[in-house]
Amino acid sequence: METGNRRERKRQVFCLAAALIAAAVITGFLVWQRGMLVEARSREAQEELAETVLRFHVLADSDSDRDQKLKMAVKEVLLSYMKKNMPETDDLEETIEWMSSHLSDMEKTGEMVLRNEGCTDEVSAEVVKDYFPEKNYGDVTFPAGEYTALRVKIGSGQGHNWWCCLYPNLCFTDAVRCVVPEEGKEKMGHVLSEDAYDMVTAFSDFKIKWFFFGDGASGK
């Protein structure tokens, strides 16, 4: 009788262990599957974002204090130039076309700033489509991926870069506190889907929300 009880207990322990292992495998698979869905959704949102924005990058010649200050001076002058001369439009392609046709003027404008500071570096400007790593910009996060950008390079362009989003206009209104314009975020919210906008304004929350709640979290 005692031998039979021991066998029954062993059988129960074995069944419980098998059930726990099976549950762990199934849970692990579901977590992995959910993670893959989240990453796919994030990629879709990033691709949508990339088709909607135009980034602006200014690369310094080096990381020396002087070159970094020159970078910011060039940035300020070019932003002023574009604010004054670039026609207001809600069409991204028109904005890119205007940029492409005024690259030479922007190069000359940037070099004029450098010459006034006694710097002989050249300035090159181009509209590119390139891969950029994830970047925090004030209270906005741009996930890693390919973006179209106006890239301005000073000298060798080996120093740290400054960047903002030219379209919609998210360039800082408060450079000290790194606050981006609410008007620019509103425009972005109008052209992006809810998921893509959520990813830009709260990237971590977006991933967490999608991981646990999926489609139901967007309210659509």
Side-chain angles (χ1 to χ4, degrees):
M1 184 68 176
E2 185 176 346
T3 300
N5 289 336
R6 284 200 300 269
R7 288 178 179 174
E8 179 61 21
R9 283 196 295 271
K10 286 182 179 180
R11 187 186 70 80
Q12 291 176 349
V13 170
F14 176 81
C15 290
L16 178 59
L20 290 175
I21 292 172
V25 170
I26 294 172
T27 300
F29 173 77
L30 292 176
V31 169
W32 172 82
Q33 184 183 52
R34 194 64 192 164
M36 294 295 290
L37 290 173
V38 170
E39 290 303 316
R41 192 69 179 192
S42 297
R43 285 194 299 271
E44 290 176 5
Q46 186 280 324
E47 291 169 0
E48 179 185 343
L49 177 64
E51 295 299 320
T52 307
V53 303
L54 174 64
R55 295 172 65 156
F56 177 36
H57 289 245
V58 183
L59 288 76
D61 181 52
S62 75
D63 285 335
S64 70
D65 291 342
R66 181 172 183 267
D67 285 341
Q68 288 296 311
K69 289 178 180 178
L70 289 174
K71 174 191 71 176
M72 298 306 289
V74 169
K75 177 265 296 185
E76 289 294 340
V77 168
L78 291 182
L79 283 177
S80 297
Y81 169 84
M82 287 183 281
K83 183 177 181 180
K84 179 180 178 181
N85 295 284
M86 187 168 62
E88 293 187 10
T89 177
D90 290 329
D91 189 289
L92 176 59
E93 291 302 320
E94 289 180 7
T95 302
I96 293 175
E97 288 178 10
W98 185 91
M99 291 286 177
S100 300
S101 63
H102 289 77
L103 295 176
S104 179
D105 290 341
M106 285 187 276
E107 290 172 346
K108 293 176 182 176
T109 300
E111 287 178 354
M112 184 168 58
V113 174
L114 298 182
R115 301 300 176 266
N116 290 338
E117 297 294 331
C119 177
T120 60
D121 287 341
E122 293 184 352
V123 174
S124 62
E126 59 181 338
V127 176
V128 299
K129 188 168 186 179
D130 201 358
Y131 178 88
F132 295 95
E134 181 180 315
K135 186 76 172 181
N136 293 320
Y137 178 69
D139 53 352
V140 174
T141 298
F142 277 56
E146 282 197 346
Y147 294 89
T148 301
L150 169 64
R151 176 181 288 161
V152 176
K153 185 170 68 173
I154 302 173
S156 64
Q158 296 301 306
H160 281 97
N161 72 84
W162 177 95
W163 80 280
C164 73
C165 180
L166 284 176
Y167 182 92
N169 180 19
L170 294 182
C171 292
F172 291 146
T173 55
D174 186 337
V176 176
R177 291 184 295 134
C178 297
V179 177
V180 296
E182 287 299 324
E183 181 181 357
K185 287 193 288 187
E186 287 177 7
K187 287 183 178 180
M188 184 174 287
H190 292 156
V191 296
L192 292 177
S193 67
E194 186 176 347
D195 291 336
Y197 182 77
D198 284 350
M199 183 171 71
V200 175
T201 55
F203 189 55
S204 297
D205 290 344
F206 173 88
K207 283 196 166 187
I208 292 171
K209 178 182 74 173
W210 259 94
F211 188 87
F212 288 106
F213 302 108
D215 291 328
S218 65
K220 292 183 178 179

